[in-house]
Amino acid sequence: MPRPTGRVLTLLELLQSGGTRTVAELADRLGVEGRTVRRYVNQLIDLDVPVESVRGRYGGYRLASGYRLPPLMLSDDEALAVLLGLVAGRRAGLTTAERTANETASAKIRRVLPKHIARRLDTLLEALAFTDQPGEFDTPDAEVLLTIADAVRRRRPVSIRYADRDGRRSERTLHAYGIVAHSGRWYVTGKDARIGEDRTFRLDRIADVRTLPGSFETPTGPGPAQRVLSGFATAEYRHEVTLRIHGTVEQIRAHLPISVANPEEHESAAGEDRATERWLRVELRAERLDWLPPVLASLNRPFVIERPDELRDLIIALADRLTSYAAEPGREESTSGDGTAKAR
């Protein structure tokens, strides 16, 4: 039979699972009488664990928000899930404030794990490999993230101090629609009240945020994630590209996702099935063009370049290189001892 101390810890674990637990339910789970449950609850309260008593027909006990984190009881699966989540979040760049917060949280959990679980976790992490390299991302301030999240929920405008990619600083009033995590970065999308247009801002570039009086209505239409991806596709870059591609929207988006390009119907017959291949106009903006020729080649679909001419030249150059490689299938290169390449 478990000792009283073990039952008290089991009671804490039950309360930490959430909701209100009746005395009868707790007594049944612990294998004790109701008055013993009340005594265990008093022991938790003596340890400064914030347990609330709920009156009424469906009353009982629940764990309240306290001024400090009470002893945390995690099962083997829960501990593994938390630690793997911290590892994945650190690699994906989806952490906040200082990177050390992630590392110290992991260390605290690992320190209290039973030895057999810790050994199994170490074995998993040693055997685990990732297909991508961990990125180096600028993480947002936790207070900025939480303040904006509260403004989104309450539909309250906020004042932000923002620095753009060129380092120019400005103060803006934002009606925030939502927070989006994309490719290892945090973004907030909403209406810039000064110009009356939707904008997307990187959270790590927000230096300060203040909640303002008033409220606003969130517009209908695309959700925050869709707005962020569409904003990427229409952002100002050095090159504006217009193509006509013969295929379906799905075929094009498999290589040019919505965060990169916007395909629009160019020609379609009345009543034609959307899954039918047709000519679609595709517009995108890019800081560089050298990545586009291989992507267009991988589409394996007929396409026409409307602009710019520079892209046409790059595609012709790629085609010439591929033709030259294919024309000499027996040509190989080896490296000599002095580092020079020799053909054979």
Side-chain angles (χ1 to χ4, degrees):
M1 178 178 294
R3 295 183 179 182
T5 302
R7 294 198 192 99
V8 172
L9 293 177
T10 301
L11 171 62
L12 176 58
E13 184 175 8
L14 291 172
L15 294 175
Q16 285 180 335
S17 64
T20 300
R21 303 279 185 162
T22 66
V23 174
E25 177 187 2
L26 293 172
D28 181 65
R29 295 290 297 273
L30 297 173
V32 298
E33 297 181 354
R35 63 175 181 270
T36 305
V37 171
R38 296 183 181 91
R39 187 170 73 249
Y40 291 163
V41 168
N42 289 331
Q43 292 181 29
L44 290 176
I45 294 174
D46 290 340
L47 295 171
D48 290 332
V49 176
V51 181
E52 288 183 340
S53 176
V54 181
R55 298 182 179 275
R57 180 180 178 184
Y58 300 103
Y61 296 103
R62 67 186 179 195
L63 203 60
S65 299
Y67 67 90
R68 66 183 179 86
L69 184 69
L72 189 60
M73 306 292 292
L74 294 175
S75 67
D76 294 4
D77 289 343
E78 289 169 342
L80 181 61
V82 170
L83 286 169
L84 288 180
L86 290 170
V87 171
R90 183 168 64 246
R91 289 185 60 90
L94 298 181
T95 56
T96 59
E98 297 180 0
R99 189 177 298 270
T100 54
N102 185 295
E103 296 169 353
T104 55
S106 298
K108 288 178 180 178
I109 296 176
R110 292 174 68 99
R111 188 168 59 247
V112 297
L113 286 177
K115 289 183 178 180
H116 73 283
I117 300 177
R119 284 195 299 268
R120 295 180 67 188
L121 176 65
D122 289 338
T123 300
L124 171 61
L125 294 179
E126 289 174 4
L128 181 63
F130 293 87
T131 58
D132 60 338
Q133 295 298 318
E136 291 295 330
F137 302 106
D138 295 322
T139 55
D141 180 80
E143 185 62 28
V144 168
L145 180 63
L146 295 175
T147 300
I148 292 179
D150 183 68
V152 170
R153 182 179 64 84
R154 298 165 59 193
R155 298 180 181 177
R156 297 282 299 276
V158 292
S159 173
I160 63 172
R161 287 196 293 114
Y162 190 73
D164 64 16
R165 61 184 177 185
D166 296 322
R168 294 188 297 264
R169 299 183 180 277
S170 61
E171 186 163 338
R172 305 164 184 255
T173 298
L174 178 66
H175 295 171
Y177 304 150
I179 295 171
V180 178
H182 173 69
S183 295
R185 297 194 187 280
W186 297 88
Y187 298 88
V188 57
T189 182
K191 185 173 77 172
D192 188 327
R194 180 175 59 84
I195 62 176
E197 296 180 1
D198 287 356
R199 289 290 184 268
T200 295
F201 302 95
R202 271 177 47 178
L203 284 178
D204 59 280
R205 291 178 176 168
I206 297 177
D208 182 60
V209 58
R210 292 181 293 108
T211 304
L212 301 176
S215 62
F216 64 89
E217 289 296 323
T218 303
T220 59
Q226 184 78 9
R227 291 176 184 272
V228 168
L229 294 177
S230 298
F232 290 155
T234 58
E236 294 184 1
Y237 289 99
R238 182 178 303 174
H239 301 283
E240 294 186 357
V241 179
T242 304
L243 307 164
R244 283 185 291 120
I245 302 175
H246 192 269
T248 66
V249 173
E250 289 73 19
Q251 288 171 338
I252 295 172
R253 284 186 174 167
H255 299 269
L256 294 169
I258 192 172
S259 60
V260 174
N262 285 325
E264 298 178 359
E265 291 188 9
H266 182 62
E267 299 174 3
S268 61
E272 191 175 18
D273 189 349
R274 286 182 56 86
T276 303
E277 295 179 359
R278 69 193 74 181
W279 284 100
L280 301 173
R281 183 184 298 275
V282 178
E283 295 183 348
L284 60 96
R285 291 167 172 81
E287 197 67 23
R288 297 171 53 182
L289 294 175
D290 54 357
W291 61 274
L292 258 176
V295 172
L296 293 176
S298 67
L299 272 170
N300 196 29
R301 309 301 310 163
F303 64 87
V304 175
I305 301 170
E306 293 189 356
R307 62 172 178 170
D309 290 338
E310 182 182 350
L311 176 58
R312 185 177 292 106
D313 295 337
L314 290 173
I315 291 176
I316 292 174
L318 174 63
D320 290 342
R321 288 199 303 274
L322 294 177
T323 301
S324 67
Y325 299 156
E328 300 184 54
R331 183 181 180 87
E332 299 177 2
E333 285 189 351
S334 62
T335 303
S336 63
D338 60 1
T340 60
K342 294 183 178 180
R344 54 190 175 96

